[in-house]
Amino acid sequence: MPRKKKQIDRNKYSQCNTKKLFIETYGCQMNVADTEVVSSILKKEGYTPTDDYHDADLILLNTCSVRDKAEQTVRNKLANFACLKKTRPWLLIGVLGCMAGRVKEKLLEEEKMVDLVAGPDAYRDLPVLISQAWNNLNAVNVHLSLEETYDDITPVRISGSGVTAFVSVMRGCDNMCTYCVVPYTRGRERSRDPKTILEEIDVLRSEGYKEITLLGQNIDSYLWYGGGAKKDFSKASEEAKANALHFSDLLKMVAETFPTMRIRFCTSNPHDMTDDVLDTIASHSNICRYMHLPFQSGSNRILQHMRRGYTREEYLTLIERVRAKIPDCGITMDIIAGYPTETEEDHKDTLSLMQSVKYEFGYMFKYSERPGTYAANHYPDDVPDDVKQRRLDEIITLQGQHSFERNKTYISTVSQVLVEGISKKDKEEVFGRNSQGIVVVFAKGNHSIGDFVNVKITDTTQGTLLGEALD
Ligand code: 5AD
Ligand code: SF4
C-alpha cells in the first residue's frame, strides 16, 4: 500500500541547511570511483563531506544490485536514515548507482523512503535533482547514456590513504552474461578520452599518489575512437578506425607517461584478454604482475549456459599464456556457486579448475537471481540454498588452502611493497601490497606511507605475508 509522502516546506529550514553531505558506497570499485565524481560535482554546489550522518543535510547511498543481499542492506540502511528526518525535517535522502533504475518507483512512490534517485549516468544532473527534491518535486533521472564518461570531472578523493587511487577508463558492459544485472543498470560500453585519463593521473602524481588502478567493468574491451558507444564502432570513419586506441595501447601509454607510478587494472573478462595486453605487462616493470580473471564456473555446460564466451579449456590456455609471458603474475578470480541447473559434477569441475590454477585469492559468491536478467527470465533458481551454501563453503575452503600454499612460495623471496598504512594490530608495523596484490606487513622502521620498500618475506598467514625491510 503506497504511503503518503509528507509535503515539507523546506524553505522554512533554509538556515539549517549547512550543505553537509554524507555518502555511503556499496559494491564494486567502480562505485567508489563514481562516489568521488559525485563528491566533485557537489563540491561545486557548496557541499562539504561529513563522516557523521547525524550531521548531514544530504545523505546519498551509492548502491549495488549485483546480488540481492547488497540491495537488502541498502533498504535497511534507508529505513534507518529515514528516521533522522524526525529531527532534521529538511534532510534529503537519495539513491545513486545500480539500484536506482531498478527500484525507483518502489523507493520513491510506494515506500516514500527516498527524495531523489540518480542512475550511474545521471550524476551531472544532481544539482537539479536536489533542487527539485528540496521543493517536494519528483526528482528522478535514471537515463543510461551512450557517451557519458565524466571525463572532464576531476574526482574528489575521499577514500583511501592518499597513496593509491582508482581511475575510471570505461563504463558499462556489452557482454550480457545471463546472470548479471550490470548491463541493465550501467548500460552499454563506452570509453573515456585517453587525454583526460592522462590528465587525471598527472594530477594524482603531483598530489603524491604512487599507484593507480585503471577501472572498467570490462576493461580489456576499452576502445577509444573519438567517443561514443563501442557498439557503434563499425559506423565510425575509416580514419577514426585506423587511429583507434585499444586497452593495450592505453596501458602502454599510461605506464610510459608515469614511469614512477605503479599501475594496476581491473576487471578483465577472459574472453577479451589479448596477448597485446600480456606483452605490455611483461615489458613494463611498473605495471603490476597481477590479473583478475573471473572464471565463474569450471563446467563447460554452465559456462555456455552463462554465455561467458569461453570454454574451460580456453580459459586454462589463457592462464598458461599468462604464466608463460608473466611468470610471477598473481592471479585472482570470481566464482558463482549454485547457478541454475548446476549439478555436483559441474561443481566438481569448478573445484578441479581451481586445483589446476591455484589462485592467489578469489571472490566467491552464491548465485543470486536478479530480476530482468536472461537467467531469471529463463531458468528457475533451482539449486536449493543449503546446497549452494555447501558448495560455496567447499570453494572457500579450497581457496583458503591455495592462498596459503601460494603465500608460502613467497617465503625467502623479495617483494617490492608500496606502504599504504600503519598496521591496525601494531603501531610499529606498516602494511602495503606487493606487485601481485598480496598484503605484506613489516616493521615500520624509518619508512613512511607512500614509500616503495624492498621487503624480504620471512613468514606467512593464510592471507598476509610477513617480512623484513631490506632498505
Ligand atoms: N549472483 C551471484 N554473483 C554474481 N556476480 C554477478 N552477478 C551475480 C549473480 N547474479 C558476481 C560475478 C562477477 C562479480 C562481480 O559478481 O562473479 O564476476
Ligand atoms: Fe556482468 Fe559479465 Fe559484464 Fe562482468 S562481463 S559485468 S559478469 S555481464
Side-chain angles (χ1 to χ4, degrees):
M1 173 81 171
R3 280 195 242 162
K4 198 166 176 324
K5 190 153 192 166
K6 249 197 191 159
Q7 295 289 302
I8 295 157
D9 180 8
R10 288 195 175 77
N11 293 319
K12 256 189 358 203
Y13 301 102
S14 291
Q15 313 285 37
C16 307
N17 184 4
T18 51
K19 289 203 158 185
K20 293 236 174 84
L21 166 66
F22 177 84
I23 310 192
E24 198 151 82
T25 309
Y26 296 86
C28 63
Q29 296 161 330
M30 205 71 197
N31 261 10
V32 176
D34 278 1
T35 289
E36 296 180 338
V37 165
V38 168
S39 300
S40 172
I41 291 168
L42 293 182
K43 190 178 166 193
K44 289 204 181 83
E45 297 296 307
Y47 280 91
T48 50
T50 175
D51 292 335
D52 181 1
Y53 57 81
H54 295 101
D55 245 15
D57 305 295
L58 173 62
I59 294 180
L60 297 176
L61 275 81
N62 195 357
T63 61
C64 170
S65 283
V66 154
R67 282 168 292 278
D68 184 53
K69 209 169 146 199
E71 287 198 358
Q72 284 311 326
T73 312
V74 167
R75 285 174 170 279
N76 294 340
K77 263 294 162 78
L78 280 172
N80 287 345
F81 286 144
C83 296
L84 297 170
K85 289 190 174 185
K86 284 186 197 136
T87 49
R88 296 172 83 75
W90 65 92
L91 171 67
L92 291 176
I93 300 177
V95 164
L96 314 178
C98 291
M99 262 174 90
R102 291 186 12 80
V103 290
K104 59 179 191 297
E105 282 92 9
K106 207 161 165 34
L107 292 177
L108 267 173
E109 286 148 35
E110 287 177 34
E111 299 176 10
K112 312 290 180 204
M113 283 215 263
V114 304
D115 303 291
L116 68 102
V117 174
D121 291 341
Y123 300 147
R124 286 180 203 270
D125 202 22
L126 273 171
V128 173
L129 294 172
I130 292 168
S131 141
Q132 288 171 339
W134 180 265
N135 293 303
N136 297 308
L137 297 170
N138 212 9
V140 187
N141 185 345
V142 292
H143 171 74
L144 289 174
S145 160
L146 292 177
E147 278 110 35
E148 181 62 272
T149 58
Y150 301 110
D151 57 0
D152 56 327
I153 294 177
T154 307
V156 171
R157 308 289 162 183
I158 51 170
S159 45
S161 55
V163 172
T164 64
F166 297 129
V167 174
S168 160
V169 304
M170 53 100 54
R171 298 179 76 81
C173 182
D174 287 351
N175 277 342
M176 305 298 285
C177 302
T178 53
Y179 51 83
C180 186
V181 80
V182 167
Y184 305 94
T185 61
R186 301 192 77 101
R188 304 301 300 247
E189 285 174 10
R190 65 227 105 115
S191 296
R192 180 175 169 189
D193 184 342
K195 186 170 159 279
T196 68
I197 297 173
L198 296 181
E199 283 165 3
E200 184 177 327
I201 301 172
D202 198 37
V203 171
L204 289 165
R205 187 196 48 75
S206 66
E207 289 172 351
Y209 283 82
K210 299 291 169 62
E211 181 183 293
I212 53 137
T213 303
L214 305 176
L215 289 184
Q217 228 81 47
N218 188 23
I219 199 161
D220 298 274
S221 196
Y222 176 90
L223 179 67
W224 174 254
Y225 63 99
K230 181 162 181 177
K231 74 176 178 60
D232 293 329
F233 180 59
S234 59
K235 295 183 217 149
S237 69
E238 287 313 311
E239 194 192 347
K241 281 184 189 157
N243 293 324
L245 218 70
H246 296 264
F247 182 58
S248 58
D249 305 315
L250 176 73
L251 192 57
K252 184 167 184 283
M253 196 187 257
V254 170
E256 291 178 5
T257 312
F258 303 101
T260 60
M261 294 183 92
R262 219 159 68 161
I263 322 292
R264 296 183 191 277
F265 62 90
C266 173
T267 284
S268 300
N269 186 313
H271 174 246
D272 295 314
M273 173 61 72
T274 61
D275 274 0
D276 288 353
V277 173
L278 303 183
D279 291 334
T280 306
I281 302 172
S283 58
H284 292 82
S285 59
N286 59 332
I287 305 179
C288 287
R289 272 45 193 154
Y290 169 74
M291 205 168 286
H292 184 58
L293 284 171
F295 75 92
Q296 316 299 3
S297 169
S299 149
N300 275 336
R301 192 183 65 81
I302 296 288
L303 286 172
Q304 199 181 14
H305 224 276
M306 289 175 163
R307 301 195 175 154
R308 287 292 288 174
Y310 54 85
T311 61
R312 170 193 176 92
E313 292 72 27
E314 282 163 347
Y315 181 89
L316 286 170
T317 306
L318 170 62
I319 298 288
E320 273 170 29
R321 269 164 39 220
V322 172
R323 295 243 158 93
K325 287 181 186 283
I326 317 159
D328 55 345
C329 195
I331 305 177
T332 59
M333 51 66 178
D334 295 344
I335 297 177
I336 298 176
Y339 176 85
T341 77
E342 187 187 73
T343 61
E344 281 311 308
E345 274 315 299
D346 296 320
H347 170 59
K348 283 189 184 130
D349 285 346
T350 295
L351 296 174
S352 82
L353 192 144
M354 292 172 71
Q355 285 287 14
S356 309
V357 180
K358 292 209 166 84
Y359 295 91
E360 253 73 6
F361 186 69
Y363 301 87
M364 300 151 280
F365 313 102
K366 272 195 288 188
Y367 173 70
S368 165
E369 186 178 81
R370 307 316 292 131
T373 57
Y374 188 88
N377 291 339
H378 293 82
Y379 315 121
D381 184 4
D382 59 358
V383 179
D385 195 60
D386 58 333
V387 176
K388 277 186 196 169
Q389 188 61 52
R390 196 244 315 139
R391 290 180 188 165
L392 179 66
D393 291 344
E394 285 174 15
I395 289 167
I396 291 173
T397 304
L398 184 61
Q399 183 48 47
Q401 290 163 12
H402 291 165
S403 294
F404 194 36
E405 260 179 64
R406 281 263 167 233
N407 275 9
K408 280 196 263 189
T409 65
Y410 286 84
I411 294 177
S412 301
T413 66
V414 175
S415 279
Q416 193 197 50
V417 180
L418 171 59
V419 181
E420 287 180 41
I422 307 288
S423 159
K424 281 200 186 107
K425 284 195 192 144
D426 183 347
K427 285 199 172 60
E428 293 308 310
E429 288 185 331
V430 286
F431 73 90
R433 278 173 305 156
N434 66 6
S435 181
Q436 290 76 11
I438 306 174
V439 174
V440 183
V441 173
F442 59 98
K444 181 169 174 288
N446 295 325
H447 301 294
S448 308
I449 294 173
D451 286 352
F452 284 107
V453 183
N454 287 315
V455 178
K456 179 151 187 201
I457 308 302
T458 52
D459 204 354
T460 184
T461 66
Q462 188 170 303
T464 308
L465 297 172
L466 311 171
E468 287 164 7
L470 296 179
D471 310 323

PDB file of all heavy atoms in Angstrom, residues 211-234:
ATOM      1  N   GLU A 211      50.238   4.840  -6.811  1.00  0.00           N
ATOM      2  CA  GLU A 211      49.698   3.696  -7.556  1.00  0.00           C
ATOM      3  C   GLU A 211      48.294   4.022  -8.029  1.00  0.00           C
ATOM      4  O   GLU A 211      47.503   4.572  -7.276  1.00  0.00           O
ATOM      5  CB  GLU A 211      49.647   2.471  -6.634  1.00  0.00           C
ATOM      6  CG  GLU A 211      49.115   1.234  -7.319  1.00  0.00           C
ATOM      7  CD  GLU A 211      49.002   0.047  -6.386  1.00  0.00           C
ATOM      8  OE1 GLU A 211      50.043  -0.463  -5.938  1.00  0.00           O
ATOM      9  OE2 GLU A 211      47.865  -0.364  -6.091  1.00  0.00           O
ATOM     10  N   ILE A 212      48.002   3.671  -9.277  1.00  0.00           N
ATOM     11  CA  ILE A 212      46.634   3.857  -9.749  1.00  0.00           C
ATOM     12  C   ILE A 212      46.090   2.526 -10.281  1.00  0.00           C
ATOM     13  O   ILE A 212      46.839   1.698 -10.817  1.00  0.00           O
ATOM     14  CB  ILE A 212      46.526   4.939 -10.850  1.00  0.00           C
ATOM     15  CG1 ILE A 212      47.504   4.643 -11.978  1.00  0.00           C
ATOM     16  CG2 ILE A 212      46.740   6.320 -10.317  1.00  0.00           C
ATOM     17  CD1 ILE A 212      46.869   4.857 -13.279  1.00  0.00           C
ATOM     18  N   THR A 213      44.793   2.352 -10.096  1.00  0.00           N
ATOM     19  CA  THR A 213      44.117   1.188 -10.662  1.00  0.00           C
ATOM     20  C   THR A 213      43.148   1.702 -11.717  1.00  0.00           C
ATOM     21  O   THR A 213      42.236   2.465 -11.416  1.00  0.00           O
ATOM     22  CB  THR A 213      43.352   0.404  -9.564  1.00  0.00           C
ATOM     23  OG1 THR A 213      44.274   0.024  -8.548  1.00  0.00           O
ATOM     24  CG2 THR A 213      42.700  -0.842 -10.138  1.00  0.00           C
ATOM     25  N   LEU A 214      43.418   1.318 -12.966  1.00  0.00           N
ATOM     26  CA  LEU A 214      42.515   1.688 -14.059  1.00  0.00           C
ATOM     27  C   LEU A 214      41.278   0.802 -13.951  1.00  0.00           C
ATOM     28  O   LEU A 214      41.403  -0.420 -13.794  1.00  0.00           O
ATOM     29  CB  LEU A 214      43.189   1.472 -15.414  1.00  0.00           C
ATOM     30  CG  LEU A 214      44.536   2.181 -15.616  1.00  0.00           C
ATOM     31  CD1 LEU A 214      45.142   1.787 -16.974  1.00  0.00           C
ATOM     32  CD2 LEU A 214      44.371   3.695 -15.538  1.00  0.00           C
ATOM     33  N   LEU A 215      40.109   1.420 -14.013  1.00  0.00           N
ATOM     34  CA  LEU A 215      38.877   0.661 -13.776  1.00  0.00           C
ATOM     35  C   LEU A 215      37.957   0.631 -14.975  1.00  0.00           C
ATOM     36  O   LEU A 215      37.789   1.641 -15.662  1.00  0.00           O
ATOM     37  CB  LEU A 215      38.066   1.314 -12.659  1.00  0.00           C
ATOM     38  CG  LEU A 215      38.555   1.238 -11.232  1.00  0.00           C
ATOM     39  CD1 LEU A 215      37.522   1.888 -10.328  1.00  0.00           C
ATOM     40  CD2 LEU A 215      38.790  -0.199 -10.815  1.00  0.00           C
ATOM     41  N   GLY A 216      37.361  -0.514 -15.157  1.00  0.00           N
ATOM     42  CA  GLY A 216      36.284  -0.657 -16.144  1.00  0.00           C
ATOM     43  C   GLY A 216      35.572  -1.954 -15.833  1.00  0.00           C
ATOM     44  O   GLY A 216      36.203  -2.898 -15.351  1.00  0.00           O
ATOM     45  N   GLN A 217      34.261  -2.013 -16.101  1.00  0.00           N
ATOM     46  CA  GLN A 217      33.509  -3.245 -15.840  1.00  0.00           C
ATOM     47  C   GLN A 217      34.074  -4.379 -16.673  1.00  0.00           C
ATOM     48  O   GLN A 217      34.051  -5.522 -16.289  1.00  0.00           O
ATOM     49  CB  GLN A 217      32.047  -3.010 -16.236  1.00  0.00           C
ATOM     50  CG  GLN A 217      31.078  -3.442 -15.195  1.00  0.00           C
ATOM     51  CD  GLN A 217      30.936  -2.379 -14.117  1.00  0.00           C
ATOM     52  OE1 GLN A 217      30.785  -1.237 -14.430  1.00  0.00           O
ATOM     53  NE2 GLN A 217      30.997  -2.780 -12.875  1.00  0.00           N
ATOM     54  N   ASN A 218      34.615  -3.999 -17.834  1.00  0.00           N
ATOM     55  CA  ASN A 218      35.083  -4.992 -18.794  1.00  0.00           C
ATOM     56  C   ASN A 218      36.287  -4.355 -19.495  1.00  0.00           C
ATOM     57  O   ASN A 218      36.259  -4.069 -20.681  1.00  0.00           O
ATOM     58  CB  ASN A 218      33.929  -5.262 -19.779  1.00  0.00           C
ATOM     59  CG  ASN A 218      34.202  -6.390 -20.688  1.00  0.00           C
ATOM     60  OD1 ASN A 218      35.007  -7.254 -20.387  1.00  0.00           O
ATOM     61  ND2 ASN A 218      33.542  -6.385 -21.832  1.00  0.00           N
ATOM     62  N   ILE A 219      37.361  -4.142 -18.740  1.00  0.00           N
ATOM     63  CA  ILE A 219      38.383  -3.161 -19.119  1.00  0.00           C
ATOM     64  C   ILE A 219      39.134  -3.510 -20.406  1.00  0.00           C
ATOM     65  O   ILE A 219      39.539  -2.612 -21.144  1.00  0.00           O
ATOM     66  CB  ILE A 219      39.348  -2.898 -17.935  1.00  0.00           C
ATOM     67  CG1 ILE A 219      40.088  -1.571 -18.167  1.00  0.00           C
ATOM     68  CG2 ILE A 219      40.281  -4.057 -17.688  1.00  0.00           C
ATOM     69  CD1 ILE A 219      40.691  -0.978 -16.928  1.00  0.00           C
ATOM     70  N   ASP A 220      39.286  -4.798 -20.676  1.00  0.00           N
ATOM     71  CA  ASP A 220      40.041  -5.171 -21.882  1.00  0.00           C
ATOM     72  C   ASP A 220      39.284  -4.801 -23.150  1.00  0.00           C
ATOM     73  O   ASP A 220      39.817  -4.878 -24.248  1.00  0.00           O
ATOM     74  CB  ASP A 220      40.333  -6.672 -21.864  1.00  0.00           C
ATOM     75  CG  ASP A 220      41.192  -7.004 -20.680  1.00  0.00           C
ATOM     76  OD1 ASP A 220      42.409  -6.902 -20.802  1.00  0.00           O
ATOM     77  OD2 ASP A 220      40.623  -7.296 -19.616  1.00  0.00           O
ATOM     78  N   SER A 221      38.050  -4.405 -22.956  1.00  0.00           N
ATOM     79  CA  SER A 221      37.224  -4.017 -24.089  1.00  0.00           C
ATOM     80  C   SER A 221      37.343  -2.512 -24.378  1.00  0.00           C
ATOM     81  O   SER A 221      36.665  -1.993 -25.273  1.00  0.00           O
ATOM     82  CB  SER A 221      35.789  -4.391 -23.715  1.00  0.00           C
ATOM     83  OG  SER A 221      34.971  -4.413 -24.787  1.00  0.00           O
ATOM     84  N   TYR A 222      38.227  -1.818 -23.630  1.00  0.00           N
ATOM     85  CA  TYR A 222      38.430  -0.369 -23.842  1.00  0.00           C
ATOM     86  C   TYR A 222      38.684  -0.096 -25.330  1.00  0.00           C
ATOM     87  O   TYR A 222      39.494  -0.789 -25.968  1.00  0.00           O
ATOM     88  CB  TYR A 222      39.634   0.118 -23.015  1.00  0.00           C
ATOM     89  CG  TYR A 222      39.974   1.584 -23.240  1.00  0.00           C
ATOM     90  CD1 TYR A 222      39.399   2.577 -22.465  1.00  0.00           C
ATOM     91  CD2 TYR A 222      40.861   1.965 -24.256  1.00  0.00           C
ATOM     92  CE1 TYR A 222      39.693   3.921 -22.679  1.00  0.00           C
ATOM     93  CE2 TYR A 222      41.166   3.305 -24.480  1.00  0.00           C
ATOM     94  CZ  TYR A 222      40.575   4.274 -23.682  1.00  0.00           C
ATOM     95  OH  TYR A 222      40.870   5.598 -23.905  1.00  0.00           O
ATOM     96  N   LEU A 223      37.994   0.898 -25.857  1.00  0.00           N
ATOM     97  CA  LEU A 223      38.200   1.267 -27.263  1.00  0.00           C
ATOM     98  C   LEU A 223      37.864   2.742 -27.437  1.00  0.00           C
ATOM     99  O   LEU A 223      36.708   3.140 -27.313  1.00  0.00           O
ATOM    100  CB  LEU A 223      37.284   0.424 -28.170  1.00  0.00           C
ATOM    101  CG  LEU A 223      37.379   0.739 -29.657  1.00  0.00           C
ATOM    102  CD1 LEU A 223      38.737   0.349 -30.225  1.00  0.00           C
ATOM    103  CD2 LEU A 223      36.271   0.006 -30.424  1.00  0.00           C
ATOM    104  N   TRP A 224      38.921   3.531 -27.698  1.00  0.00           N
ATOM    105  CA  TRP A 224      38.691   4.960 -27.939  1.00  0.00           C
ATOM    106  C   TRP A 224      38.806   5.235 -29.429  1.00  0.00           C
ATOM    107  O   TRP A 224      39.824   4.957 -30.058  1.00  0.00           O
ATOM    108  CB  TRP A 224      39.714   5.800 -27.143  1.00  0.00           C
ATOM    109  CG  TRP A 224      39.600   7.267 -27.490  1.00  0.00           C
ATOM    110  CD1 TRP A 224      40.465   7.979 -28.246  1.00  0.00           C
ATOM    111  CD2 TRP A 224      38.553   8.168 -27.098  1.00  0.00           C
ATOM    112  NE1 TRP A 224      40.027   9.271 -28.355  1.00  0.00           N
ATOM    113  CE2 TRP A 224      38.853   9.417 -27.658  1.00  0.00           C
ATOM    114  CE3 TRP A 224      37.386   8.034 -26.335  1.00  0.00           C
ATOM    115  CZ2 TRP A 224      38.034  10.539 -27.474  1.00  0.00           C
ATOM    116  CZ3 TRP A 224      36.567   9.142 -26.156  1.00  0.00           C
ATOM    117  CH2 TRP A 224      36.916  10.375 -26.720  1.00  0.00           C
ATOM    118  N   TYR A 225      37.705   5.733 -30.008  1.00  0.00           N
ATOM    119  CA  TYR A 225      37.773   6.099 -31.431  1.00  0.00           C
ATOM    120  C   TYR A 225      37.197   7.485 -31.631  1.00  0.00           C
ATOM    121  O   TYR A 225      36.643   7.804 -32.687  1.00  0.00           O
ATOM    122  CB  TYR A 225      37.064   5.041 -32.294  1.00  0.00           C
ATOM    123  CG  TYR A 225      35.579   4.881 -32.047  1.00  0.00           C
ATOM    124  CD1 TYR A 225      34.649   5.489 -32.879  1.00  0.00           C
ATOM    125  CD2 TYR A 225      35.098   4.103 -30.993  1.00  0.00           C
ATOM    126  CE1 TYR A 225      33.286   5.353 -32.671  1.00  0.00           C
ATOM    127  CE2 TYR A 225      33.733   3.968 -30.773  1.00  0.00           C
ATOM    128  CZ  TYR A 225      32.841   4.586 -31.602  1.00  0.00           C
ATOM    129  OH  TYR A 225      31.488   4.450 -31.381  1.00  0.00           O
ATOM    130  N   GLY A 226      37.323   8.305 -30.577  1.00  0.00           N
ATOM    131  CA  GLY A 226      36.834   9.682 -30.666  1.00  0.00           C
ATOM    132  C   GLY A 226      35.568   9.904 -29.863  1.00  0.00           C
ATOM    133  O   GLY A 226      35.018  11.006 -29.876  1.00  0.00           O
ATOM    134  N   GLY A 227      35.084   8.855 -29.181  1.00  0.00           N
ATOM    135  CA  GLY A 227      33.889   8.984 -28.350  1.00  0.00           C
ATOM    136  C   GLY A 227      32.754   8.158 -28.889  1.00  0.00           C
ATOM    137  O   GLY A 227      32.727   7.818 -30.077  1.00  0.00           O
ATOM    138  N   GLY A 228      31.808   7.819 -27.988  1.00  0.00           N
ATOM    139  CA  GLY A 228      30.637   7.041 -28.397  1.00  0.00           C
ATOM    140  C   GLY A 228      30.713   5.596 -27.947  1.00  0.00           C
ATOM    141  O   GLY A 228      31.750   5.133 -27.468  1.00  0.00           O
ATOM    142  N   ALA A 229      29.582   4.909 -28.125  1.00  0.00           N
ATOM    143  CA  ALA A 229      29.472   3.538 -27.642  1.00  0.00           C
ATOM    144  C   ALA A 229      30.323   2.593 -28.494  1.00  0.00           C
ATOM    145  O   ALA A 229      30.482   2.804 -29.698  1.00  0.00           O
ATOM    146  CB  ALA A 229      28.017   3.105 -27.691  1.00  0.00           C
ATOM    147  N   LYS A 230      30.829   1.548 -27.871  1.00  0.00           N
ATOM    148  CA  LYS A 230      31.643   0.579 -28.600  1.00  0.00           C
ATOM    149  C   LYS A 230      30.820  -0.091 -29.704  1.00  0.00           C
ATOM    150  O   LYS A 230      31.317  -0.396 -30.776  1.00  0.00           O
ATOM    151  CB  LYS A 230      32.188  -0.469 -27.633  1.00  0.00           C
ATOM    152  CG  LYS A 230      33.055  -1.489 -28.330  1.00  0.00           C
ATOM    153  CD  LYS A 230      33.933  -2.260 -27.416  1.00  0.00           C
ATOM    154  CE  LYS A 230      34.775  -3.225 -28.214  1.00  0.00           C
ATOM    155  NZ  LYS A 230      35.699  -3.973 -27.408  1.00  0.00           N
ATOM    156  N   LYS A 231      29.543  -0.288 -29.414  1.00  0.00           N
ATOM    157  CA  LYS A 231      28.688  -0.977 -30.402  1.00  0.00           C
ATOM    158  C   LYS A 231      28.596  -0.190 -31.713  1.00  0.00           C
ATOM    159  O   LYS A 231      28.261  -0.738 -32.749  1.00  0.00           O
ATOM    160  CB  LYS A 231      27.300  -1.233 -29.815  1.00  0.00           C
ATOM    161  CG  LYS A 231      26.421  -0.002 -29.696  1.00  0.00           C
ATOM    162  CD  LYS A 231      25.044  -0.376 -29.206  1.00  0.00           C
ATOM    163  CE  LYS A 231      24.141   0.819 -29.028  1.00  0.00           C
ATOM    164  NZ  LYS A 231      23.875   1.633 -30.203  1.00  0.00           N
ATOM    165  N   ASP A 232      28.912   1.120 -31.664  1.00  0.00           N
ATOM    166  CA  ASP A 232      28.800   1.941 -32.882  1.00  0.00           C
ATOM    167  C   ASP A 232      30.143   2.103 -33.611  1.00  0.00           C
ATOM    168  O   ASP A 232      30.234   2.878 -34.569  1.00  0.00           O
ATOM    169  CB  ASP A 232      28.233   3.338 -32.515  1.00  0.00           C
ATOM    170  CG  ASP A 232      26.795   3.244 -32.032  1.00  0.00           C
ATOM    171  OD1 ASP A 232      26.090   2.325 -32.503  1.00  0.00           O
ATOM    172  OD2 ASP A 232      26.404   4.039 -31.164  1.00  0.00           O
ATOM    173  N   PHE A 233      31.158   1.374 -33.151  1.00  0.00           N
ATOM    174  CA  PHE A 233      32.498   1.499 -33.751  1.00  0.00           C
ATOM    175  C   PHE A 233      32.472   1.212 -35.255  1.00  0.00           C
ATOM    176  O   PHE A 233      33.131   1.886 -36.046  1.00  0.00           O
ATOM    177  CB  PHE A 233      33.460   0.544 -33.041  1.00  0.00           C
ATOM    178  CG  PHE A 233      34.858   0.578 -33.574  1.00  0.00           C
ATOM    179  CD1 PHE A 233      35.600   1.753 -33.578  1.00  0.00           C
ATOM    180  CD2 PHE A 233      35.453  -0.580 -34.077  1.00  0.00           C
ATOM    181  CE1 PHE A 233      36.902   1.786 -34.067  1.00  0.00           C
ATOM    182  CE2 PHE A 233      36.755  -0.555 -34.567  1.00  0.00           C
ATOM    183  CZ  PHE A 233      37.479   0.626 -34.563  1.00  0.00           C
ATOM    184  N   SER A 234      31.669   0.220 -35.649  1.00  0.00           N
ATOM    185  CA  SER A 234      31.654  -0.156 -37.076  1.00  0.00           C
ATOM    186  C   SER A 234      31.166   1.006 -37.958  1.00  0.00           C
ATOM    187  O   SER A 234      31.469   1.059 -39.145  1.00  0.00           O
ATOM    188  CB  SER A 234      30.783  -1.395 -37.288  1.00  0.00           C
ATOM    189  OG  SER A 234      29.481  -1.101 -36.853  1.00  0.00           O
TER     190      SER A 234
END
